[in-house]
Each structure stands twice: as structure tokens, then as C-alpha cells.
Amino acid sequence: MKFPDLSMSNPVRLRELIRQIRSAKTAAEERAVVQKESAYIRDAFRDEDNTWRCRNVAKLLYISLLGYPAHFGQLECLKLIASTRFTDKRIGYLGAMLLLDERQDIHVLITNSLKNDLNNSNEYVAGLALCALGTICSPEMSRDLGGEVERLMKSANVYLKKKAILCAVRIIRKVPEQFDVFQNSVRSLLSEKHHGVLLTATTLITEMCQQNTQALQVFRNLVPNLVRILKNLIMAGCSPDHDVSGISDPFLQVHLLRLLRVLGRNDNEASDSMNDILAQVSTNTENSKNVGNAILYETVLTIMDINSESGLRVLAVNILGRFLLNTDKNIRYVALNTLLRVVHADQNAVQRHRATIVECLKDADVSIKRRAMELCFALMNKNNIRTMTDEMLDFLGTCELEFKSDCTSNMFLAMDRFSPTKQWHVDQMIKVLTTAGNSVRDDIVSSLIGIISSTPDLYGYAAHQLYKKMQNDITQQPLVQVASWTLGEFGDLLVNQQPQNEENLRVVEIEIIDILERILNSSLSTVITREYAINALMKLSTRFPNCSDRIQSVMTYYACNMNLELQTRAVEYTSLFTKHNIIRSSIVERMPVLISNQTSNTNSSEPEESIINSKENSPVNGKHEHVPSDEPINLVNILDDHIQTTSGTLNPNHSSSLFNPLEDPLFDFDTPTNPTTKSIPSMTAIDKNGIRMIFTFERDNTTLTINSKITNSTQYSITNFIFKAAVPKTFNIDLYPASSTTIPTNNSGDIQQIIKITNPNREKIRMRIKLNYQLNNTNMSDEAELNTFPEQCYN
Amino acid sequence: MIQFILLFSRQGKLRLQKWYTSQTDKSKKKITREIIAAVLSRKPKMSSFLEWKDLKVVYKRYASLYFCCAIEQDDNELLTLETIHRYVELLDKYFGSVCELDIIFNFEKAYFIFDEFILGGEVQETSKKSVLKAVNDQDVIQEEELEEKRSVLEDLGLA
């Protein structure tokens, strides 16, 4: 290979250097060539060689493109710019744009040269200066040279005019205050005929309007001018030089549409004056090639963003619908993206294209899939929930890992909102768990548990379904966690209530214990799963008394486990078998309906705490039947401090104490502030049209918990029941999700809902409530003002 | 506005780069590496659009060169494809059936053409003729200067 000639003769030509570098066979060879030449160039610069500076800088620029350092050439670029030769300036400005930017201090040295060149009589020299200014100007340069740029904007020379305008764009981006310098000159630009000037002027006005609301109002009256220019463009069909595939200057069209969008936003008058032209562009633009579609796309964006009439909006959505059917994937992508932005505003219009959107779920492009998935979720409503859920389950089974957790979370949300029946809900959720494997988020597990817990009639069914799924596979953690909890709580129901049509699948107690033990012992189970399993086993010790010994031995075995959490639990459970056997049944008895927090709150993954923190509000559990005896009452009392009953069956005052749990570090509960167990009378909130709402109260200092129970004494069932409540500003109200939105007829069932009110000032509680529901398919609405809260609620 | 434009080969070698935002060399190199890697890993069936940080990257392959343009959120991606195509047409007209080698050996010319088409990240001229006329006129000035220089050096016996 040839090394560059280091003799006194002329430096290597640029082309020759490129050839040499390219012929290097290894990276090391290339580096050697480059370094030698680089050193030569550095020497040449030091020797202040005017003749070949240009060539050397050009070579340096090539080297820097390859990734090698070239900062020592910065000053040389400045010298080239200062030269009188056009060739020098051309390379010098190129070098400046590539090697210099605002960060270097050096580049302010350019300002003087720029000023001179901007005034040069040769338009191409001035052009070079404008180009450099537009690329690398800093705030200081903007201030110094803004005036020059403005002068050139008014030049008769269109070549300089358009460059100056784009310089102005750059300047006001850097220094918004400079807007004042340019605002007056801008208007007249729109009456030019030259496409370059029109295009750049449109860009400048758009930039001004986006930065400055004052400018926006001033320029709004330009809308008729813009409409006219656009119209002429479409109709005239002149100027083949600006055409692309027969469409007149698409760049200008798109920029005009964009400016119209900015001006029409939130302004009815401006929007009205655009309606016609937008309709015209939408219908007349050829959509067979990308060019036409680019214009249509911009038109759609504009229509959707301004206050356009509904006919136009439907037209826009239909254009997007056609885009979805286009074979060009770029167009499909753009359509899905835009639909995502408009779906909430125009859901009905978008619903029409649902089938096509579902097809896009199978696209090869990941971005298209993602957008299609988000759109599908946005389009779910109670009419299409069943079919859509099936589609999404298919998708879930085949999609990439990155989608799975989002998909499952959204599916749960959708099912939560739109499930037709509880059983369907539980079935689908189980399907999602089995399909999604380990991609389900943690909070989904707890909300799923909450949902199962809130459907008492499905306890046995849910347990059975989950058990069946677990038989095949215990490696999917979320499924196993939910299943363990369900089996633990409702294993007895599973064994006793076998579904009628599956006689041959009678599940026996032993099998349930087996599977839970397997999960507990499996190395594939995470620690959290094992915690679920060990809890479940404990609960079953009372539900399956015959297996109690076996469970006890499991606990004893785990009392030596290396994992601290498991060990702690095992030890505690073992003591529940031995020292505290008497209260074991009350500890692990069936939980009341869980207050399922919103899915956004991460419920603690330890369901155990729910036992301690749950409030009793229904006679479902058997707590009332178990009156604990004196001896271990202390333990129960600590739990009691968190569990408050309205009937006050438990005596909070204890006399003897075996050990004081408050001092025992194993039980580290917060001592409650001022638990009030005296009973507060209940109150009828509303009794109207057959709907009766009764409030029962529990109070903890400044927090009042209201358990609301709503019954329906009519012969028609009530559906879509929504309860709203408002309190004065000094209070804080929290409405927990209701147990259901349907009240069966003739007082055969009820809706329960928890309301929490914080009353820091201990003021008299006032509340305004509103009920919306459907009775026999008619929409009803009731309101009431509640002033008669019992004194004990707040005093 | 176009934030930057990158031209690179299928092997990931950079042929042209133009930045309209101020970045350190180090961050330019890093961004370039990331984008080249992202674009080269795309399969043929995928769309020409990538999301990258808060920008949209529009890319298109012409023969052995990838043309990559990073635009802002409210820019029209489909129009950017047309912009890229227009630039390729300009190169094609100038070099006469352009290929990658033309751009490698005449990178400064490729820059000159680009700078007559786009300024400050925005399109300045939509007429192909005007762009090429400006470039050609400037080439003529350069040639005239070169002639002048050569004759001076010859006179002095230094050529």
C-alpha cells in the first residue's frame, strides 16, 4: 500500500487519500494511513500553508467522517472562510458546519466573516454565509446578525430571500425575543409567487405562531390568503418542476395545511373558513402513491385538530380507514398512529374500522402491532367485549414478550369495566393467566383475587377451574398464586360443591393438599408463590380437618427453611398448631369480601395482612359465632384493634395476659390511636322508588367508615347502578368500588359499598348523594341531601 | 424540523452526516451508533419509521445506502420520505445515475447539494432545477478559480 508522499511536493489529493484509505485491508492499516496523513495535515496547518489549506481541510473533513478526531482543523476553517477565493469559502463553511457548533468558543470568531459575507455582492457567497448561520448559529450570533438576516429577507433576490427566511426560523428558535425583528417583514412574503419563498415563509409563520400566542392571533387573518394559495396550487396544475408524480408541490401543500392547523386550532371562525378547502383536498388528492397520501395524512391531522364540522371529521376517519387497507405498511402505521389520537373523541367513527384494526394485530412490524393493540383496547365496549377478548387472547398467545404485560393489564381493565357476567369474567381471566405465563404484573394478581373474592356464588367454580389448570402446569407464577389463594380460601367449597356435569373429576382433599405441597416444594416456584402456597395450606388445616396433621408436619418442616420469610411463617403457623391451637380456626377462617383497591395501587403481595386489616361488614364470615375465651384474648385484641364491629361482641378489656403482644417484637403492629368500639346507630340515607340505602358506621378518630347497603324492593331488577357522593370542602371522601352494579329484585340481594370520610375538624357531616341506575330499562336518577348523620359520627 | 440526517452503508459505515442541533462529538458518535444499529436490525417487512427517544426516525434504503432522517413529533413522516427521495433524485441528476462510490469520493459535493435543498432542518427549495442550477453555478465559479490558479502557478513555473 502506498503511504502519502511526505516530500516537498504537493500534498496528496483528496481522492487519492480516499482511495488509499479504502484499500487498507485491516482496521489497523486504515488507522496507520489516517494517522500519518493527519500528522502531515497538522504540520501543514502549523506552517500556515495558504496554497493547499483548502485541500488539506477537505481531507480532514473526510477523516472526521470516518470517526477520527479533527478539532485541530477548526481554526483553519475560519481562515478559509476569511479567504477571498470562493473555493476556499465553500470548503471553509462546510468545515465550519461540520466541525464547529455553539459549544466551541472559537465559533464566535466566525461572526465577523459572516457579516462580511452576508453583504457580499456575489449571491452565492452570501448564500454560503446564510447556510452556515442557519446551521450553527448560537444565541449571540443570532442577536448580532439578526438585522442582516432581516435585511436579506427583504431582498429582491429570491435565492437569498428564501435562505434568509429559514435563517430567521433558526434565529427565533434560538432566541424567541428576536421575533420582533422579523414580524413585520413576514406578511408580504405570502404574496410572492416563488415556491421556495412561499414554502419558507409558511415555515417561518408556523414557527412564530407556535412560539407566540400574540403572533397566532395576528396571523389568523392570513387564513384566507393561505386558503387561496392552496387552492391555486391544487387547481392550477402548472409548474412541472415542482411536481411529484403529477401532484403540485406537495411540500408546499403539506406546510400550508400545517399552518392552517396551527391557526384553526381552538378558533371557530378560522376553522369555518378552512372547511371547504380541506374537503376539497381530501376528495381530490390522488392516493395511489406515497406523495398523495402524505398530503391526505396532513389534511386528516388538520381536520382532527381544528374545530371542524362533524361531516368533515367522519371524512377524515374514513380516509384513515382506507389507509388501513393500503398495502404500504408505512401508510398503515401512520393511520394507526393517528387513529389512536382521535379514538377517544370520535369513537363511533373509528368503531367502523374495528375489523381492519384487529387484522393489523397480525402485522410483522412491531410498531404497527403495538398501535393496533392500543387501539383495540380503546375500542372495547360492552357490545364487543366478548369478541374482542377472544381476539386479544389470540394475540396474547402469539405476540412478542414486550407486549404481554401491557396486554394483560389492559385486558383486565377492560374486563373489569365491561364483563357481561361474573362467570365469564372469571373464565376469561383464568384464560389470560394461562396464556400470559409470567408476564402478568403483580398488581393484577391481587386485583384478580379481589374479583374472585367479591363473587361469592363463584367461589367453588373459580376454585375448580383454577385447580384444573394447575394440574397441567405449576410453573406460571401468577396463575399459581391466584390458584393457591383460591384453593386455600375455598378448597372446602370445591370438594363439597362439585359441578354437576363433571362427575368423573371429583376432587378429593388429599389432591388439593398434594398440589399445594408440590408448589411449595417446587424449585420453579418463586418465593412469593411459595408464600401463597404456605398460607393456603394453613387455611386448609381447618377446612380439611382430616389433613390437619399432615399440614402441621409440613409447617414443622418449613420451620427450618433457609428463606427467612417462609421460615417465619412456618414458625408462626406451627405455634398456631400447638400453643395457640384454640384460635387457629378463627385466624384462618374465610375472609370477608375483599375491598379490591384500584388496579393502579399495588396491593401488598401478602394476602395475610388482609386478614388483619379487613373490616367486617357482612355476616358472611363466622366471626360472630366464635367468642374467644379469656386466655388468648390479648392476641385477638391486637387484631381487634383493626377490626371493628358495629355490634361490639368482643370485650376489648382484658384482665389476664399470658404475654403482652404489644411488647413482643414478633408482633409489630402500630398501636391504633383511639379505637372507638361503641356502636353508632345506622342511618337510612335514601328510601325512594323502591331503593333503600342504609348506612352503618365505624369510626376511628377522624375517619368515618360508612358501609352502605342498597336493596331493591321492586319487582324489576336494577342495573348499571352508580352511586355518587359529594361532601363539603373541609372533608375528604373516598368511594371504594361497589360490590356490584346490579340489585336483584324483591330484596333478594344487595349492593354493598364502602365510603370513607376524613373529618379533621370534627364538623357536622353533610353529604349530597346522587344515584343513577336503570330500572326496567328506563334510566332513573335520584338525589338527596343528607344532614342527619348521627352525632357519634363526628363529635 | 429535521434534527439530523445520516447516510450509511449496509455494513454500518457512515457516508454523510448533518446535524441541526448542537451535540458533543461523543454524543453524536453514540447516537449514530445506536441509530445505525437500530436501522440495520430492521426486517424488510417493517415500516420505514422508528421511534427513538422523543424523535421519529424515517429511513429508506437505496441500493447499498441507508438514508436516515430524524424528525420531530409533529413532522409528517410520509413527507419526509418524499424529502429523502427528492435528495436522491438530486444526487442522481447531478452525478448521473448515482451510486455509493460517487458519494464516497465526492462527499463534499453531496453536502453542497444537500445544503441547497435543506437549510436549518427545513426544505428551502422545491424546484429540482433551481437547486441544481445553484450547485452548478457554484461549481463553475470553482472551476474558473482553479483555472486561474493553475495558469498563475504555470507562469511561475510551480505547477
Side-chain angles (χ1 to χ4, degrees):
Chain A
M1 55 154 273
K2 279 161 63 175
F3 282 87
D5 193 350
L6 294 178
S7 64
M8 295 299 279
S9 62
N10 304 338
V12 153
R13 302 175 91 94
L14 171 62
R15 259 173 231 122
E16 183 53 38
L17 176 65
I18 299 178
R19 217 165 280 135
Q20 283 174 8
I21 292 177
R22 281 174 62 78
S23 61
K25 293 196 186 53
T26 63
E29 252 183 76
E30 178 187 294
R31 262 199 306 276
V33 174
V34 169
Q35 274 164 12
K36 262 209 156 65
E37 186 62 29
S38 203
Y40 170 83
I41 293 174
R42 224 183 311 228
D43 286 338
F45 287 163
R46 230 193 336 263
D47 296 339
E48 297 280 339
D49 183 352
N50 283 353
T51 334
W52 302 113
R53 185 177 284 129
C54 185
R55 182 184 284 184
N56 288 331
V57 168
K59 285 187 288 189
L60 192 59
L61 291 180
Y62 181 74
I63 291 173
S64 86
L65 196 56
L66 295 174
Y68 298 94
H71 45 273
F72 52 90
Q74 288 166 3
L75 211 46
E76 302 302 310
C77 293
L78 296 182
K79 293 182 193 162
L80 282 175
I81 290 171
S83 155
T84 46
R85 289 178 71 222
F86 183 76
T87 316
D88 286 349
K89 282 188 194 284
R90 218 181 182 194
I91 295 285
Y93 274 119
L94 179 62
M97 286 192 280
L98 290 178
L99 299 180
L100 293 177
D101 59 32
E102 301 170 42
R103 290 156 195 277
Q104 277 88 19
D105 299 326
I106 263 184
H107 99 310
V108 298
L109 296 176
I110 252 192
T111 312
N112 225 17
S113 300
L114 279 174
K115 200 169 191 142
N116 290 336
D117 284 339
L118 284 172
N119 288 311
N120 196 301
S121 51
N122 183 334
E123 62 176 350
Y124 293 117
V125 172
L128 287 176
L130 282 169
C131 186
L133 191 58
T135 312
I136 61 168
C137 85
S138 64
E140 298 79 37
M141 285 162 79
S142 308
R143 285 187 202 105
D144 288 338
L145 298 168
E148 299 292 330
V149 172
E150 202 250 342
R151 188 180 51 82
L152 286 169
M153 260 170 67
K154 298 200 278 241
S155 156
N157 182 333
V158 288
Y159 177 76
L160 292 178
K161 215 175 172 102
K162 63 185 189 190
K163 288 184 192 270
I165 297 172
L166 285 183
C167 257
V169 174
R170 166 102 186 178
I171 288 177
I172 59 175
R173 277 201 186 124
K174 286 276 160 201
V175 186
E177 296 78 50
Q178 289 278 310
F179 163 78
D180 297 326
V181 174
F182 301 108
Q183 61 175 322
N184 295 326
S185 337
V186 167
R187 269 178 183 282
S188 52
L189 295 172
L190 282 182
S191 34
E192 298 269 342
K193 295 274 178 283
H194 188 263
H195 282 227
V197 173
L198 282 174
L199 177 58
T200 51
T202 314
T203 311
L204 179 57
I205 299 176
T206 313
E207 184 65 30
M208 284 179 165
C209 291
Q210 280 176 328
Q211 274 193 12
N212 191 327
T213 39
Q214 207 188 355
L216 183 58
Q217 282 157 8
V218 165
F219 287 128
R220 268 221 182 92
N221 54 20
L222 284 177
V223 171
N225 304 34
L226 295 167
V227 170
R228 204 174 9 99
I229 299 175
L230 190 50
K231 206 170 194 144
N232 287 340
L233 259 187
I234 310 176
M235 308 297 261
C238 56
S239 185
D241 194 30
H242 295 106
D243 274 9
V244 178
S245 306
I247 299 189
S248 323
D249 207 335
F251 299 99
L252 183 53
Q253 283 196 45
V254 167
H255 275 76
L256 284 169
L257 286 164
R258 183 157 154 194
L259 179 51
L260 285 174
R261 176 155 87 243
V262 171
L263 294 174
R265 213 177 266 152
N266 294 329
D267 187 290
N268 286 324
E269 204 187 308
S271 302
D272 282 339
S273 46
M274 298 177 199
N275 272 320
D276 284 340
I277 189 69
L278 289 173
Q280 204 179 349
V281 175
S282 307
T283 40
N284 288 353
T285 308
E286 264 274 338
N287 58 359
S288 53
K289 292 226 174 98
N290 184 59
V291 173
N293 288 322
I295 297 177
L296 285 171
Y297 174 41
E298 195 72 30
T299 316
V300 167
L301 287 176
T302 303
I303 294 176
M304 291 323 224
D305 222 7
I306 64 174
N307 305 350
S308 48
E309 49 183 38
S310 61
L312 206 51
R313 291 182 88 89
V314 173
L315 182 58
V317 174
N318 287 343
I319 293 179
L320 290 176
R322 272 207 310 277
F323 274 5
L324 281 179
L325 298 167
N326 198 307
T327 45
D328 185 343
K329 49 201 168 334
N330 294 332
I331 308 229
R332 287 206 302 275
Y333 171 90
V334 145
L336 284 172
N337 216 7
T338 319
L339 280 170
L340 204 50
R341 280 155 62 172
V342 306
V343 70
H344 296 291
D346 297 84
Q347 236 225 38
N348 292 330
V350 181
Q351 281 284 359
R352 228 178 291 150
H353 305 285
R354 201 181 71 233
T356 331
I357 296 172
V358 170
E359 276 306 302
C360 290
L361 284 173
K362 308 191 182 85
D363 203 293
D365 183 324
V366 164
S367 316
I368 291 185
K369 267 207 254 214
R370 175 167 286 281
R371 276 159 184 73
M373 178 182 89
E374 287 174 24
L375 257 180
C376 284
F377 283 122
L379 289 176
M380 276 193 191
N381 59 31
K382 62 182 173 60
N383 297 328
N384 57 31
I385 183 73
R386 283 185 198 257
T387 38
M388 289 300 277
T389 309
D390 288 337
E391 296 284 353
M392 298 317 287
L393 273 172
D394 280 338
F395 174 66
L396 191 57
T398 54
C399 71
E400 287 86 347
L401 199 59
E402 57 196 90
F403 290 128
K404 291 207 178 180
S405 51
D406 281 335
C407 192
T408 45
S409 305
N410 280 316
M411 286 188 76
F412 278 115
L413 274 170
M415 291 196 283
D416 220 19
R417 283 171 70 189
F418 302 124
S419 293
T421 65
K422 284 281 179 184
Q423 179 162 339
W424 181 90
H425 194 174
V426 171
D427 277 338
Q428 298 306 312
M429 289 196 299
I430 296 177
K431 273 197 206 149
V432 171
L433 282 181
T434 40
T435 326
N438 289 319
S439 317
V440 177
R441 291 208 180 95
D442 296 333
D443 50 344
I444 300 290
V445 170
S446 22
S447 47
L448 185 44
I449 287 176
I451 291 171
I452 295 182
S453 145
S454 64
T455 347
D457 9 320
L458 290 178
Y459 285 163
Y461 174 78
H464 194 95
Q465 294 302 320
L466 287 165
Y467 176 76
K468 276 201 303 202
K469 287 284 180 296
M470 278 231 287
Q471 279 186 307
N472 304 330
D473 178 12
I474 58 166
T475 56
Q476 296 187 315
Q477 304 305 305
L479 175 66
V480 172
Q481 286 169 13
V482 175
S484 307
W485 184 87
T486 314
L487 287 176
E489 274 294 309
F490 311 124
D492 52 333
L493 292 180
L494 169 57
V495 170
N496 299 334
Q497 301 172 11
Q498 300 287 340
Q500 304 95 313
N501 48 351
E502 295 180 50
E503 296 288 351
N504 49 341
L505 290 159
R506 272 197 78 85
V507 184
V508 171
E509 295 175 358
I510 294 282
E511 290 170 348
I512 301 182
I513 310 277
D514 275 342
I515 206 168
L516 284 172
E517 255 199 83
R518 245 178 50 221
I519 295 169
L520 187 54
N521 296 330
S522 163
S523 52
L524 295 169
S525 302
T526 62
V527 174
I528 302 231
T529 310
R530 295 168 86 185
E531 288 165 14
Y532 272 92
I534 206 171
N535 286 349
L537 276 173
M538 192 57 206
K539 292 182 199 168
L540 291 177
S541 71
T542 45
R543 292 168 183 47
F544 300 159
N546 302 330
C547 307
S548 173
D549 289 334
R550 178 171 164 190
I551 295 176
Q552 182 172 1
S553 57
V554 171
M555 296 302 159
T556 321
Y557 172 71
Y558 268 84
C560 315
N561 190 275
M562 289 304 290
N563 180 290
L564 188 60
E565 183 59 44
L566 289 176
Q567 194 193 101
T568 317
R569 292 186 192 212
V571 166
E572 289 168 18
Y573 289 152
T574 318
S575 80
L576 273 182
F577 274 107
T578 53
K579 242 191 322 196
H580 301 294
N581 198 20
I582 302 189
I583 56 160
R584 175 161 56 95
S585 42
S586 54
I587 297 274
V588 297
E589 67 184 5
R590 184 110 61 225
M591 281 200 251
V593 173
L594 284 176
I595 305 161
S596 49
N597 293 328
Q598 284 77 18
T599 23
S600 50
N601 302 339
T602 333
N603 269 339
S604 71
S605 54
E606 303 207 11
E608 174 109 287
E609 288 191 354
S610 313
I611 303 180
I612 298 167
N613 290 329
S614 69
K615 309 272 186 244
E616 284 184 48
N617 52 10
S618 65
V620 169
N621 58 14
K623 183 104 186 159
H624 294 279
E625 278 95 73
H626 295 269
V627 180
S629 57
D630 277 339
E631 196 213 329
I633 206 164
N634 320 313
L635 194 64
V636 180
N637 279 336
I638 298 306
L639 303 177
D640 263 351
D641 287 337
H642 293 265
I643 299 175
Q644 294 173 14
T645 63
T646 53
S647 45
T649 45
L650 297 168
N651 186 353
N653 301 315
H654 56 270
S655 43
S656 62
S657 48
L658 259 180
F659 66 103
N660 191 350
L662 282 171
E663 287 161 8
D664 188 331
L666 212 57
F667 293 87
D668 194 18
F669 297 124
D670 291 336
T671 40
T673 44
N674 184 17
T676 316
T677 50
K678 60 178 187 282
S679 54
I680 310 173
S682 55
M683 164 183 146
T684 308
I686 193 168
D687 191 358
K688 198 173 163 197
N689 294 333
I691 301 207
R692 197 150 180 244
M693 181 183 268
I694 300 188
F695 284 173
T696 47
F697 303 100
E698 287 154 21
R699 190 159 152 226
D700 179 5
N701 205 10
T702 54
T703 309
L704 177 71
T705 306
I706 306 175
N707 304 304
S708 135
K709 195 157 108 169
I710 310 142
T711 47
N712 165 16
S713 60
T714 69
Q715 48 165 311
Y716 303 109
S717 79
I718 288 179
T719 52
N720 293 330
F721 186 90
I722 307 258
F723 169 73
K724 291 186 190 154
V727 288
K729 283 202 170 54
T730 46
F731 298 91
N732 212 5
I733 185 169
D734 270 314
L735 271 178
Y736 287 80
S739 59
S740 144
T741 52
T742 310
I743 321 177
T745 65
N746 295 319
N747 291 328
S748 57
D750 55 37
I751 292 180
Q752 295 180 26
Q753 192 164 14
I754 302 241
I755 306 154
K756 276 203 184 157
I757 298 186
T758 3
N759 179 5
N761 302 330
R762 292 179 191 258
E763 289 174 21
K764 180 170 192 270
I765 298 183
R766 283 174 12 242
M767 185 191 281
R768 177 169 290 165
I769 62 173
K770 187 165 178 188
L771 315 174
N772 288 324
Y773 53 94
Q774 269 186 346
L775 175 69
N776 194 21
N777 286 321
T778 29
N779 288 329
M780 309 275 288
S781 173
D782 281 323
E783 272 183 35
E785 174 114 17
L786 307 178
N787 291 326
T788 52
F789 282 82
E791 244 193 73
Q792 299 94 316
C793 290
Y794 49 87
N795 228 341
Chain B
M1 159 183 148
I2 296 174
Q3 292 226 349
F4 57 86
I5 186 159
L6 301 169
L7 259 73
F8 50 90
S9 70
R10 283 163 65 70
Q11 286 76 40
K13 287 195 96 99
L14 197 59
R15 298 300 178 203
L16 220 72
Q17 56 174 334
K18 187 94 186 178
W19 296 78
Y20 289 107
T21 55
S22 170
Q23 310 264 8
T24 59
D25 266 345
K26 200 165 151 207
S27 93
K28 279 189 201 171
K29 286 214 174 88
K30 180 159 181 274
I31 295 174
T32 307
R33 252 200 326 268
E34 283 174 19
I35 297 219
I36 293 182
V39 170
L40 287 178
S41 63
R42 298 279 280 185
K43 302 193 198 72
K45 280 232 166 87
M46 295 179 149
S47 69
S48 299
F49 311 124
L50 270 196
E51 285 116 55
W52 189 81
K53 300 229 174 120
D54 59 337
L55 298 173
K56 301 194 269 203
V57 173
V58 179
Y59 70 92
K60 192 147 182 200
R61 200 186 112 220
Y62 288 86
S64 56
L65 266 184
Y66 282 92
F67 287 71
C68 226
C69 227
I71 54 177
E72 294 173 340
Q73 283 303 324
D74 45 1
D75 287 328
N76 185 324
E77 300 97 314
L78 299 180
L79 190 71
T80 309
L81 281 172
E82 291 301 317
T83 310
I84 293 178
H85 190 75
R86 174 57 66 90
Y87 180 49
V88 174
E89 283 179 327
L90 290 167
L91 289 171
D92 199 46
K93 202 72 193 260
Y94 182 84
F95 288 109
S97 231
V98 68
C99 61
E100 191 183 346
L101 279 179
D102 290 321
I103 300 184
I104 295 172
F105 280 94
N106 299 290
F107 70 96
E108 80 276 15
K109 300 256 170 54
Y111 274 116
F112 295 150
I113 297 171
F114 191 77
D115 286 333
E116 288 298 330
F117 175 43
I118 293 183
L119 195 153
E122 303 280 356
V123 174
Q124 64 179 287
E125 181 57 69
T126 51
S127 152
K128 279 185 273 200
K129 274 203 205 121
S130 303
V131 173
L132 291 170
K133 176 176 186 295
V135 181
N136 283 322
D137 283 353
Q138 293 177 69
D139 285 348
V140 163
I141 300 180
Q142 265 195 262
E143 276 164 30
E144 287 173 351
E145 280 184 346
L146 200 57
E147 265 310 306
E148 224 177 85
K149 180 174 171 186
R150 205 174 286 138
S151 62
V152 166
L153 288 174
E154 273 170 2
D155 286 344
L156 295 175
L158 290 171

